[in-house]
Amino acid sequence: MNANLLPTGSAYFLTQETATPERHTLSVLVDNEPGILARVVGLITARGFNIESLTVSETEHDRRLSRITLVTVAVPKTLTQIKLQLERLVPVHRVHDLTSEGQALERELALIKVKGTGEHRSETLRLADAFRAQVVDATTESFVFEVTGKSSKIDSFIALMVPLGLVEVVRTGLAAISRGPDGM
């Protein structure tokens, strides 16, 4: 018998976590007040979990409510604890796990700067057109593209721009909403 585990009849028997971590998108409706973002983020990071994506904006101006959309990776048991603890924070109105609730619509926006000179200039524009990337700034030496869509689409566009002269990338983070007629 392992010395670190007590017999199964004990109230203190420890089991090893065998669940696989999963990526989840959480939508949190909160009062738009100072410090709430720090409290929500602190609750998750204090448990040793990274936030892969984070967006926040006021969504109901007349009620002063903001919506925080965050993506994290956790085992189901821990994710349930995180959701329950978020719901207990006073300025939090609702917490939805969009991943568990079904197919949510997820989109991201990126601004991508690419050098555009010589023979690479026309290839860069051709690929941008294929990805429906909008040119939001152009000089004789560079382009800035706006790309919206799924994160995988943006990742693919960035990968294609690397050999053509990728300079820098700025991404908004994921915005997500559930399908169907019901709101949060």
Side-chain angles (χ1 to χ4, degrees), residues 29-32 58-66 93:
L29 190 64
V30 299
D31 287 336
N32 186 7
E58 188 172 67
T59 56
E60 295 183 38
H61 185 68
D62 57 328
R63 293 178 53 201
R64 301 210 20 90
L65 295 176
S66 289
H93 292 271

Side-chain angles (χ1 to χ4, degrees), residues 135-173:
V135 177
V136 293
D137 184 58
T139 68
T140 57
E141 298 178 349
S142 68
F143 297 105
V144 175
F145 297 105
E146 175 187 299
V147 182
T148 59
K150 293 184 178 183
S151 296
S152 58
K153 172 188 173 182
I154 295 171
D155 292 339
S156 296
F157 183 71
I158 291 168
L160 289 172
M161 292 298 112
V162 169
L164 297 175
L166 180 71
V167 176
E168 67 181 318
V169 176
V170 179
R171 296 175 85 154
T172 60

Side-chain angles (χ1 to χ4, degrees), residues 2 22 36 42 57 62 66 69 77 79 89 97-98 100 109 114 119 123 138 155-156 162 165 173:
N2 187 336
E22 300 171 351
I36 183 58
S57 181
D62 57 328
S66 289
T69 304
K77 179 180 175 183
L79 192 64
L89 290 176
D97 182 348
L98 297 175
S100 294
L109 179 137
V114 181
E119 63 187 51
E123 180 67 9
D155 292 339
S156 296
V162 169

Side-chain angles (χ1 to χ4, degrees), residues 85-123:
Q85 290 174 0
L86 281 172
E87 289 171 345
R88 282 186 245 160
L89 290 176
V90 172
V92 172
H93 292 271
R94 286 186 211 98
V95 178
H96 285 272
D97 182 348
L98 297 175
T99 305
S100 294
E101 293 174 6
Q103 292 292 328
L105 299 172
E106 298 180 344
R107 294 295 183 266
E108 186 176 3
L109 179 137
L111 296 174
I112 301 165
K113 186 184 292 185
V114 181
K115 290 181 186 175
T117 58
E119 63 187 51
H120 291 299
R121 192 168 178 85
S122 60
E123 180 67 9

